[in-house]
Amino acid sequence: MRLGAVADDVTGACDLAGRVVEAGLPATVLLGTSSKAPDAFAADGPGCAVVALKIRTAPVAEAVAAATDAARLLRAAGATQLYQKYCSTFDSTAHGNIGPVADALAGVAAADGTAVTVGTPATPGSGRTQYQGTLFVDGVPLAESPMRDHPLTPMRDSDLVRLLRPQTGRTVGLVRWQEVQRGSDAIASAVGDGHTLVDALTEADLVAIARAVLALAEERPVVAGGGAGVATALARAAAGPSGGTPASTLPAVPVTGRVILAGSASAATRGQIAAFPGERLVLDPLELAAGPSALDRVRDALAARADRLAPVLIHASPEVAAAQRALGAERAATLLEDAIATLAAFAVHELGVSHLLVAGGETSGAVTATLGIDRLRIGSQAAPGVPWAVADSAGRTVAVLLKSGNFGGPGLFTDAWEAAP
Ligand SMILES: Nc1ncnc2c1ncn2[C@@H]1O[C@H](COP(=O)(O)OP(=O)(O)O)[C@@H](O)[C@H]1O
Ligand SMILES: O=C(O)[C@@H](O)C(=O)COP(=O)(O)O
């Protein structure tokens, strides 16, 4: 199998690729669709290529167009199984973009409308489970988890069918956990036309779903999808006997500087910021809106540091509600994302920093775009779903760890460097 995944943000792409590599399948992440990628898959044999987009909160038409291009690019590069990677916390709005992108990928898999989609956000290794169609985050229903107050996609319902239905004109079905316990044949028979969400509480459930996808794909076009969980189970099935042997080693990147850039306001990132013992610099969107001096101050402080090898943390102010009231959610987010991306480019290209740890999906998308990175070579994980990668930025080799806001333990900003290339 050649798994071709379209991810709605870059940290989601890294999450999927990191776990797939650990499961034994080589993986590449392509940033956007501008780079034509006939070599996206390893020369021979099974593999995985992920196109990382920044479409989670984009206007629906833009998201659909980008996802369609990405799926076509993957098919042209040799993908045999398409995968829609969305967030394990189902980050979306009433209009999209999970439903519209699912419709679009089904359209690429079969132009005659016969393709179905099957999947689940459940990723039990990261505490995401689905039971009776309800999504749980560390045992708490989604709408009662910290995702309730996400700055861009506040999740106020936990029922996945109810969330997905308004986003698509196709039918939305549910395969309940009791059916999943009857095995992959039962799951495959319960899959309807349109989009089917399947309950999963354990890795064994994901294996059964992956087997059902593979069996269905023998009969009709299927797009698999969800969090990284089902993709990892598919990768294990495809890796066969080599499964369990991580499929990538990265070249060493000489350490000339370490910078942490955190634009995420998620609970795990807040914990990591609180636990970080080193020097820190704060970016406040209200100050950024007032003029260039706030960014200049942080840039000067970064340049003035004597010890570039000791990681420095630059993080967004935690006062989200006040900034959004004053500026609007989109403007506040854009100010922060632009400032963080500018600082990343300054660190790499003016200060010669070799290692960047970026927290937040939208934030990472802004950083990789400004650095002009079009491909990530994926290596080993510093934490589940958080792999190191090596990239080229305008002729300079950088090691980057692009972290989902919600992933990693409290000590990640201190510990992650041990696993770095
Ligand atoms: N204090 C703040 N005020 C307004 N927006 C903020 C603030 N802190 C962070 N944000 C924005 O919230 C968004 C967080 O999204 P993202 O980077 O994807 O993180 P996560 O991975 O946690 O979802 C970013 O666009 C960021 O700029
Ligand atoms: O599935 C997940 O939880 C992650 O892979 C993911 O999509 C990350 O999104 P952000 O939390 O916005 O980084």
Side-chain angles (χ1 to χ4, degrees):
M1 180 183 56
R2 292 181 151 201
L3 188 62
V6 178
D8 64 358
D9 78 353
V10 66
T11 44
C14 290
D15 170 19
L16 186 152
R19 294 181 204 251
V20 158
V21 164
E22 185 139 306
L25 210 60
T28 308
V29 172
L30 308 167
L31 282 294
T33 51
S34 56
S35 60
K36 295 288 166 249
D39 60 341
F41 292 93
D44 289 309
C48 172
V50 191
V51 176
L53 300 172
K54 191 172 185 295
I55 55 167
R56 195 167 282 177
T57 56
V60 172
E62 197 181 298
V64 164
T68 304
D69 283 353
R72 288 195 179 129
L73 177 150
L74 288 163
R75 293 269 290 213
T80 56
Q81 175 62 58
L82 285 179
Y83 196 92
Q84 178 189 7
K85 168 65 179 67
Y86 53 78
C87 193
S88 65
T89 46
F90 215 73
D91 299 15
S92 54
T93 69
H95 308 291
N97 286 327
I98 294 175
V101 169
D103 292 346
L105 297 196
V108 173
D112 63 0
T114 54
V116 296
T117 79
V118 181
T120 173
T123 310
S126 292
R128 274 59 155 170
T129 51
Q130 178 188 325
Y131 185 67
Q132 309 302 332
T134 295
L135 180 58
F136 294 85
V137 179
D138 295 326
V140 176
L142 176 65
E144 293 162 41
S145 78
M147 283 307 294
R148 186 177 170 76
D149 296 317
H150 189 277
L152 300 176
T153 47
M155 301 307 292
R156 301 289 167 97
D157 193 351
S158 310
D159 184 301
L160 293 171
V161 173
R162 216 158 46 211
L163 284 165
L164 188 55
R165 268 202 186 123
Q167 298 185 27
T168 172
R170 302 190 75 191
T171 57
V172 178
L174 172 66
V175 180
R176 294 177 190 274
W177 190 73
Q178 287 74 5
E179 203 64 20
V180 174
Q181 299 321 290
R182 295 179 53 225
S184 55
D185 289 350
I187 298 170
S189 325
V191 167
D193 292 331
H195 308 301
T196 303
L197 292 155
V198 189
D199 281 349
L201 297 177
T202 62
E203 298 297 334
D205 294 342
L206 295 177
V207 168
I209 296 170
R211 288 201 180 123
V213 166
L214 294 172
L216 276 169
E218 306 269 309
E219 292 158 20
R220 63 191 302 186
V222 183
V223 177
V230 174
T232 311
L234 283 167
R236 284 214 182 87
S242 69
T245 310
S248 167
T249 46
L250 295 177
V253 180
V255 185
T256 53
R258 299 182 172 108
V259 174
I260 305 164
L261 298 153
S264 159
S266 292
T269 305
R270 286 176 188 255
Q272 288 150 0
I273 291 170
F276 182 67
E279 185 182 345
R280 65 184 59 216
L281 301 162
V282 182
L283 288 167
D284 179 350
L286 292 167
E287 285 174 22
L288 291 169
S293 61
L295 182 56
D296 290 346
R297 178 178 47 77
V298 174
R299 196 183 352 224
D300 292 347
L302 200 54
R305 295 182 76 242
D307 180 5
R308 301 235 160 98
L309 299 192
V312 56
L313 167 63
I314 300 168
H315 70 88
S317 120
E319 308 299 329
V320 178
Q324 290 190 336
R325 258 196 315 275
L327 302 167
E330 201 177 317
R331 173 127 198 274
T334 305
L335 282 163
L336 283 166
E337 289 176 28
D338 289 350
I340 289 174
T342 302
L343 290 166
F346 177 72
V348 170
H349 292 293
E350 303 296 327
L351 304 181
V353 166
S354 57
H355 286 64
L356 290 181
L357 192 168
V358 187
E362 297 297 315
T363 307
S364 296
V367 167
T368 48
T370 300
L371 288 177
I373 293 173
D374 63 7
R375 188 181 279 237
L376 297 168
R377 290 178 60 187
I378 299 293
S380 54
Q381 302 187 102
V386 186
W388 277 100
V390 169
D392 175 83
S393 168
R396 208 176 259 282
T397 301
V398 275
V400 290
L401 185 142
L402 309 175
K403 181 198 90 81
S404 157
N406 276 312
F407 284 174
L412 187 78
F413 290 175
T414 306
D415 306 339
W417 313 101
E418 286 161 27

